[in-house]
Amino acid sequence: MQPVVTNQRLLNSALLVGSMTLVAKVAGALKELVIAYGFGTAPELGAFIFAAMFPAFLINVISGSLQVAFVPRYLAVKAQSGSPQAVALAARFSMLTLMLMALVVLMVTPVCYLLLGRVASGFDEATLALCRMLMLLMMPTAIVSGVAALWTSLLNAENHFRFTALVPLVTPTCIVLALAASSRPWSVETLVAGAAVGALLEALLLGRRLRALGLRPFSQPRLGDEADRRILGQFLPAAAANVLMAGSMLVEQSFAATVSAGDVAAYSFGTRLTVVVATVLVTTLSTVLLPHFSRLTAAAGVAGLRGALAPVVLGTLAVSVPAAGLFWLASGQITALVFQRGNFDAADAELVSSIQAVHGLYIPMFALSMVAVRLVNALSASRALTAGAALNLLASVLLNAALVPYVGIVGIAWANVGMYTVSTIFLWAFVLHSMRNARQTH
């Protein structure tokens, strides 16, 4: 009976996180509608999207790596040593995240500034100058957002899914309010201001929630502590994997920027709805599955994971495959209904629709790969993610280089589908091999 109870609890958590995440993503989608209405696929919007990629890259690499290294160890310390030790561990790693994010932002910002001219070769001089200015303005937000991401993972580990799923409502709301209140509403500087205020408010809300639960936001790191060393041991290979994985995002946007800034905006709109659907699904999976798989592994080792796989995989496919089919069959109608108004004209809609139809095909592959990633995290085998991410980056470069010159901006969407297919095959081959070896050992 216990597996049934566990699976039911997992399903209930997934439904809760999915519904709350959907609410937050709907708010984000409404923000995109406002932006599409005011900007269309204007070059300045492309400059903003391209500049925002750099702080997002840092958040994914540093904070994302600390999250996947931290959660399994936090739950293990809580189970073995009690809540006070786990709370102290969390506070130390919040401070470590803050320090790492600040250091990396200071080191990486000048490099990104110098590289912009090379990677955004399709931008004219005015757009390139604007992109550089926006990047400098947005890079500090990575520090705040990085800490907020770790606090989100801590609250998720404590099963506060509803709160963490709703916090992302704050930033899109701030952006829309900034656009409405500004004397220059359709300026990218207003977008930057709204995003910065939203990031700060999200961090403040998460920190206040931690305090209300008796969790300390910060304390001094102790790198000599065994639990700290174990997390850092998982963090370094996870960071290397995330550099390579997030590098695929840089490759995609860089290929888009070789065409024009307007194509960067078109690709962003063409992937926006598919990413919303995938993010709702994958955020639900990653939020619920990492602590779930970690608890199973801590309790029964690899054997504890076997009974959990089939329901998760079947449920993932049951949702993701129809979503991909809907985008493939009805992309034109969806794009016209959602985006085509204001400065977003019929020509913009046609290009965005063609990108969206192809990009939707990545949803099942992305979801299945994320299930495999969480299994690898639970097995504390982060080095496998490094190898998989290197393979993904190679696939992204080769596929984009082969497709973009012939298919144009739509080729990036096809390359994305191909990259996640490679990722899914590699990660699941590793997971199944690891579980088979564990079965033979025991």
Side-chain angles (χ1 to χ4, degrees), residues 313-323:
V313 170
L314 291 175
T316 300
L317 290 174
V319 176
S320 61
V321 171

Side-chain angles (χ1 to χ4, degrees), residues 46-70:
F48 169 79
I49 293 168
F50 198 74
M53 173 182 64
F54 294 97
F57 176 82
L58 295 184
I59 295 167
N60 287 337
V61 170
I62 304 300
S63 182
S65 303
L66 281 173
Q67 285 182 69
V68 299
F70 165 75

Side-chain angles (χ1 to χ4, degrees), residues 38-47 261-262 265 269 343 348:
F39 289 95
T41 57
E44 56 265 32
L45 180 60
F269 285 123
N343 287 324
D348 293 334

Side-chain angles (χ1 to χ4, degrees), residues 137-267:
L137 291 173
M138 286 189 283
M139 284 296 269
T141 63
I143 302 172
V144 177
S145 296
V147 175
L150 186 74
W151 287 348
T152 298
S153 70
L154 174 58
L155 289 169
N156 286 336
E158 294 291 344
N159 296 318
H160 292 275
F161 299 123
R162 182 183 289 106
F163 181 82
T164 58
L166 288 176
V167 166
L169 280 167
V170 173
T171 294
T173 302
C174 287
I175 290 174
V176 172
L177 290 176
L179 291 172
S182 175
S183 58
R184 299 176 58 220
W186 305 123
S187 69
V188 287
E189 292 84 0
T190 304
L191 293 178
V192 172
V197 171
L200 180 60
L201 287 177
E202 287 185 11
L204 291 173
L205 288 170
L206 290 165
R208 183 171 182 176
R209 183 71 168 186
L210 287 175
R211 285 190 177 278
L213 295 171
L215 300 170
R216 286 181 291 165
F218 295 110
S219 72
Q220 183 177 353
R222 294 202 314 265
L223 299 184
D225 185 88
E226 181 184 356
D228 293 26
R229 289 199 310 271
R230 287 191 180 186
I231 295 178
L232 286 176
Q234 288 298 312
F235 162 72
L236 294 175
N242 279 346
V243 167
L244 296 169
M245 181 63 76
S248 301
M249 176 183 69
L250 291 175
V251 168
E252 289 182 5
Q253 294 290 352
S254 297
F255 271 96
T258 61
V259 186
S260 73
D263 278 334
V264 173
Y267 186 76

Side-chain angles (χ1 to χ4, degrees), residues 1-211:
M1 274 309 280
Q2 186 62 35
V4 175
V5 173
T6 301
N7 288 336
Q8 183 62 46
R9 185 177 302 157
L10 182 63
L11 177 61
N12 292 339
S13 297
L15 290 174
L16 172 63
V17 174
S19 61
M20 294 298 102
T21 303
L22 179 60
V23 171
K25 290 302 175 182
V26 167
L30 292 175
K31 176 206 70 177
E32 295 300 326
L33 295 183
V34 173
I35 292 174
Y37 179 88
F39 289 95
T41 57
E44 56 265 32
L45 180 60
F48 169 79
I49 293 168
F50 198 74
M53 173 182 64
F54 294 97
F57 176 82
L58 295 184
I59 295 167
N60 287 337
V61 170
I62 304 300
S63 182
S65 303
L66 281 173
Q67 285 182 69
V68 299
F70 165 75
V71 171
R73 194 67 217 150
Y74 172 81
L75 292 171
V77 169
K78 186 175 180 180
Q80 296 165 9
S81 304
S83 293
Q85 287 77 8
V87 168
L89 176 68
R92 294 198 302 271
F93 265 81
S94 295
M95 178 59 75
L96 181 62
T97 301
L98 179 65
M99 295 165 59
L100 280 174
M101 292 300 302
L103 178 63
V104 171
V105 165
L106 287 173
M107 293 175 59
V108 169
T109 299
V111 177
C112 294
Y113 186 90
L114 295 174
L115 287 177
L116 264 175
R118 293 184 177 274
V119 296
S121 58
F123 289 13
D124 58 39
E125 286 300 320
T127 305
L128 181 60
L130 176 63
C131 187
R132 281 176 167 153
M133 181 193 73
L134 296 175
M135 187 267 293
L136 292 176
L137 291 173
M138 286 189 283
M139 284 296 269
T141 63
I143 302 172
V144 177
S145 296
V147 175
L150 186 74
W151 287 348
T152 298
S153 70
L154 174 58
L155 289 169
N156 286 336
E158 294 291 344
N159 296 318
H160 292 275
F161 299 123
R162 182 183 289 106
F163 181 82
T164 58
L166 288 176
V167 166
L169 280 167
V170 173
T171 294
T173 302
C174 287
I175 290 174
V176 172
L177 290 176
L179 291 172
S182 175
S183 58
R184 299 176 58 220
W186 305 123
S187 69
V188 287
E189 292 84 0
T190 304
L191 293 178
V192 172
V197 171
L200 180 60
L201 287 177
E202 287 185 11
L204 291 173
L205 288 170
L206 290 165
R208 183 171 182 176
R209 183 71 168 186
L210 287 175
R211 285 190 177 278

Side-chain angles (χ1 to χ4, degrees), residues 16 51 88 100 198 254 335 426 429 432 441:
L16 172 63
L100 280 174
S254 297
T335 303
F426 173 82
L432 295 175
T441 303

Side-chain angles (χ1 to χ4, degrees), residues 417-429:
V417 175
M419 182 195 73
Y420 277 107
T421 302
V422 170
S423 174
T424 301
I425 293 171
F426 173 82
L427 288 172
W428 275 102

